[in-house]
């Protein structure tokens, strides 16, 4: 999740003041951030495993998939962007906003309706500073739009052709590092052309195909652990050490900050694939747990919509409660997850059949 507080542990926001153990906060923020890099790619791989090849026409597929995410995305984007104005309308201090969204900036703390309406007007263009997690929904809608087109090739392609595609995609994973350390323009890219040679093999569609290809691959647990643990640790080491290196620099750009956390990078793939393969060995025999997981699946999208309200307060609460620094982020995550799940359950119960418009 793109959250600067969890990324680099910076605490220059007014809501934090002089936070003790700043270096420890930075260290554990980077460590947990690196460990969790596979989360988004895993979801995309699962999407590819479950939906490729697409078995229905594009029209019904779009209505079913995009319709399920569009309305909750729109409704909650409006709610998030109105939140600063609502706090002002209720007479609450601007510090409340900084507790919920520590890096929201000066404009948001004005608690101004024109500012909120300006953010809402920009929804067709991009997410705002108070609903950063919505970046993923733009990506998800794009993947859904692309899948019926991609699916036509996936259905007819041989295993060898799919491997060639993944090989080309694997090369593109190094492009962010090539741009940073070799040249900003490679393989035909220039000031008037951003579409470099392997551009059409790049991005999250590689994770879609990877999930599709690996869903039927069976590897014993022993072998999976034998190669998976070293792969994960090597990927984590590059992700963590690279991120710490960038944040140790006197100055760095937002792009440099995210360079080693980039989802479409070789180090993150090295972490993601072992987790995906290990998950295939998980067997749930308890009917109660299966029922809980089924409910979580039904509520999952809504939980994602709601959870960003509770990440900032969760971290602040754990610090106030004296939770050890090394456990503050996972403890805050568990708390935010639990509260979000309860809220979504309540919304689903109250709104009934219309809940799909609110929480998917």
């Amino acid at each position: 999740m793109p959250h600067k507080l969890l990324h680099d542990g910076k605490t220059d926001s007014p809501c934090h003041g002089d936070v003790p153990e700043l270096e420890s906060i930075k260290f554990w923020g980077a460590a947990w951030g690196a460990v969790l890099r596979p989360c988004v790619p895993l979801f995309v791989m699962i999407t590819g495993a479950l939906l490729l090849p697409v078995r229905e026409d594009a029209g019904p597929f779009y209505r079913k998939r995009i319709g399920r995410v569009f309305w909750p995305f729109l409704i909650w984007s409006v709610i998030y962007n109105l939140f600063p104005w609502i706090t002002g309308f209720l007479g609450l201090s601007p510090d409340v906003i900084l507790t919920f969204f520590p890096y929201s900036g000066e404009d948001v703390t004005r608690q101004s309706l024109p500012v909120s309406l300006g953010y809402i007007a920009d929804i067709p263009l991009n997410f705002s500073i108070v609903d950063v997690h919505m970046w993923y929904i733009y990506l998800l809608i794009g993947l859904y739009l692309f899948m019926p087109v991609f699916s036509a090739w996936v259905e007819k392609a041989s295993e060898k052709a799919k491997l060639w595609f993944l090989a080309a995609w694997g090369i593109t994973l190094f492009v962010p590092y090539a741009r940073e350390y070799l040249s900003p323009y490679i393989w035909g890219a220039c000031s008037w052309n951003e579409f470099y040679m392997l551009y059409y093999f790049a991005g999250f569609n590689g994770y879609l195909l990877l999930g599709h290809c690996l869903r039927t691959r069976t590897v014993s647990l022993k072998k999976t652990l034998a190669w998976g643990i070293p792969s994960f640790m090597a990927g984590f080491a590059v992700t963590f050490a690279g991120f710490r290196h960038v944040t140790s620099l006197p100055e760095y750009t937002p792009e440099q900050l995210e360079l080693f956390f980039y989802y479409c990078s070789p180090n993150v793939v090295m972490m993601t694939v072992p987790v995906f393969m290990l998950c295939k060995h998980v067997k749930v025999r308890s009917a109660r747990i299966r029922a809980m997981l089924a409910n979580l699946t039904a509520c999952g999208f809504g939980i994602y919509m709601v959870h960003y309200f509770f990440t900032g307060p969760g971290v602040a609460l754990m610090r106030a409660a004296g939770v050890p620094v090394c456990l503050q982020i996972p403890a805050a995550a568990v708390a935010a997850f639990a509260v979000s799940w309860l809220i979504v359950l309540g919304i689903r119960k109250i709104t009934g059949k219309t809940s799909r418009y609110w929480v998917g």
Side-chain angles (χ1 to χ4, degrees), residues 197-238:
M197 181 175 66
L198 294 180
Y199 178 88
Y200 303 101
F201 293 88
F204 284 89
N205 57 350
Y207 281 116
L208 282 176
L209 183 60
L210 191 60
H212 165 77
C213 291
L214 292 180
R215 68 177 179 179
T216 57
R217 293 289 188 276
T218 302
V219 181
S220 69
L221 179 59
K222 184 177 180 180
K223 288 183 179 180
T224 301
L225 292 173
W227 65 264
I229 292 176
S231 176
F232 187 96
M233 294 305 297
F236 169 80
V238 173

Side-chain angles (χ1 to χ4, degrees), residues 119-141:
Y119 287 150
I120 292 170
D122 285 340
I123 290 174
L125 301 177
N126 215 341
F127 56 87
S128 76
I129 195 67
V130 294
D131 65 345
V132 177
H133 66 305
M134 293 298 183
W135 77 271
Y136 181 70
I137 309 306
Y138 293 90
L139 163 69
L140 185 60
I141 291 174

